[in-house]
Amino acid sequence: IQSSGGLSDSEIEKMVKDAELYAQKDQERKQLIDARNDADSIIYSSEKSLKEYKDKLPQDIVDQIQSAVADLNKVLAFEDLMEIKQKTSALQAASMKIGEVLQKQGGSSSGSASGEQAAEAEYEDVGNEKK
């Protein structure tokens, strides 16, 4: 009795070539999915930060972020990897301005917090010397 399901060398070679072709397509698809996930994540965090700090931000920065979110949402409808990455980077850059503005606004209060920490450190040193 002989197996009738054996594959010829040409069939095996064809299957290997098909696997290589599909591996490349699978990799491209994975990159697209990862880019879309990154885009969704930055949209969510940008909208959340914008909602939380909108009253502390200049209107031009709010408008820039909202525009970048809208642009990214538009390109997510298509499967253009490079366009998605470009718009994601643009939104990340616009969102960083939130932190920059808040840091500038809070710069004076962080100096007093450092002074308080130094006082606590001195207090702990005095307490350690008594023991």
Side-chain angles (χ1 to χ4, degrees), residues 77-96:
F78 306 102
E79 295 192 356
D80 185 349
L81 177 64
M82 297 313 292
E83 190 73 19
I84 291 171
K85 285 184 175 184
Q86 180 186 10
K87 297 298 183 184
T88 299
S89 294
L91 178 54
Q92 286 173 330
S95 294
M96 284 184 183

Side-chain angles (χ1 to χ4, degrees), residues 4-91:
S4 62
L7 297 173
S8 69
D9 288 341
S10 64
E11 290 173 326
I12 293 172
E13 189 175 315
K14 182 184 180 300
M15 291 175 124
V16 169
K17 285 182 182 180
D18 286 346
E20 290 171 356
L21 174 68
Y22 293 128
Q24 183 179 356
K25 287 183 181 180
D26 289 345
Q27 181 64 25
E28 291 170 3
R29 184 73 179 149
K30 182 184 181 307
Q31 289 175 347
L32 179 63
I33 290 169
D34 288 344
R36 292 175 69 104
N37 287 342
D38 290 345
D40 286 338
S41 177
I42 190 69
I43 288 171
Y44 173 78
S45 64
S46 296
E47 287 177 336
K48 182 179 176 187
S49 295
L50 194 60
K51 183 178 180 182
E52 187 174 342
Y53 300 113
K54 187 174 185 177
D55 58 331
K56 297 178 182 179
L57 299 173
Q59 188 60 41
D60 64 323
I61 291 178
V62 172
D63 293 342
Q64 286 177 4
I65 294 170
Q66 289 174 335
S67 175
V69 167
D71 289 346
L72 184 52
N73 275 323
K74 287 177 190 173
V75 299
L76 283 176
F78 306 102
E79 295 192 356
D80 185 349
L81 177 64
M82 297 313 292
E83 190 73 19
I84 291 171
K85 285 184 175 184
Q86 180 186 10
K87 297 298 183 184
T88 299
S89 294
L91 178 54

Side-chain angles (χ1 to χ4, degrees), residues 114-129:
S114 297
E116 291 172 9
Q117 289 175 349
E120 289 177 18
E122 289 175 23
Y123 176 77
E124 289 175 15
D125 288 343
V126 172
N128 288 337
E129 288 175 10

